[in-house]
Amino acid sequence: MDPHWEPWFSGGGGVVRDSSGNILIGFAVFFGTKTNMEAEFLALLEEVQLCMEQGLHCIQVEMHSKALQLMMLGNCQVPWKLWKEVSQIKALTQGNNFNFSYMFWEANVVANALANLASSTLCYKRFTPAQVSQQVLGLAALDRIHTPYIRMI
C-alpha cells in the first residue's frame, strides 16, 4: 500500500513569516490518526484560517507535497476523501491573493519540527515569535539566511 494513504498519528505545523523571513505567528496541531495526505491538507487549512484571522490576504504558501500543490492549483483530481478540506481551502482563498508553490522537504524543516511536536505531544497550539522554541527559532534563522542544516539520526 502507498504509505501516503496509511493512517498514523499525525500532526501539522507551520509558520507565517514576513517578507524578510521573520516568524509572525505559527501553529502546531495534533490531528489524530490520519493519512499523510489528510494531515497535509488539514495543516494547509489551519494555516489558511490563521492567515485569514490575522487579516493577511496576500500570501505565498510553500508546501513540500507536489500532489497537494497540484490539487490546489486544479491540475490533478482530488480524491473524494480530501474533497471537503480542498473545498474549504478554496472557499477561504477565493478572492484573496494566495499563491501555492512547491518546495523540497528539506526546505520545510520549521513546519516539520512543529508537526513532529504536535504528533508527539498531542497538542493544539498557536504561538507568537516570543513563544516559539529555541529549536524552531534556530531552524527558521538558518532558513532565513539560506543555510542548509545537517540532521543527525
Side-chain angles (χ1 to χ4, degrees):
M1 174 166 244
D2 183 348
H4 290 93
W5 296 104
E6 292 182 31
W8 196 256
F9 265 18
S10 61
V15 291
V16 178
R17 303 179 196 208
D18 64 17
S19 59
S20 298
N22 299 307
I23 296 174
L24 301 175
I25 192 165
F27 69 94
V29 180
F30 176 66
F31 297 131
T33 304
K34 301 288 181 191
T35 66
N36 181 343
M37 290 302 294
E38 287 173 310
E40 294 281 353
F41 273 101
L42 289 170
L44 178 57
L45 178 58
E46 182 72 24
E47 188 131 24
V48 168
Q49 290 171 331
L50 184 60
C51 289
M52 300 305 289
E53 290 168 13
Q54 297 296 312
L56 304 171
H57 303 283
C58 183
I59 303 294
Q60 172 69 36
V61 180
E62 298 175 332
M63 57 191 71
H64 64 259
S65 170
K66 187 68 172 173
L68 174 61
Q69 180 212 16
L70 293 173
M71 286 181 222
M72 290 310 305
L73 296 174
N75 294 338
C76 73
Q77 290 185 330
V78 177
W80 66 268
K81 193 171 187 175
L82 302 172
W83 189 253
K84 177 183 166 191
E85 289 79 10
V86 173
S87 297
Q88 287 178 300
I89 294 165
K90 287 186 175 186
L92 285 168
T93 58
Q94 187 175 13
N96 294 294
N97 188 8
F98 278 75
N99 183 31
F100 299 99
S101 63
Y102 170 76
M103 64 191 307
F104 290 107
W105 181 90
E106 295 83 0
N108 206 15
V109 294
V110 174
N112 291 331
L114 293 169
N116 288 337
L117 170 71
S119 62
S120 64
T121 62
L122 315 181
C123 72
Y124 178 95
K125 183 176 182 179
R126 288 188 174 179
F127 50 82
T128 64
Q131 299 167 318
V132 179
S133 73
Q134 289 299 311
Q135 176 198 13
V136 171
L137 286 175
L139 292 170
L142 288 173
D143 190 38
R144 187 174 53 250
I145 60 173
H146 308 289
T147 302
Y149 82 107
I150 298 172
R151 180 175 62 154
M152 303 300 284
I153 299 176

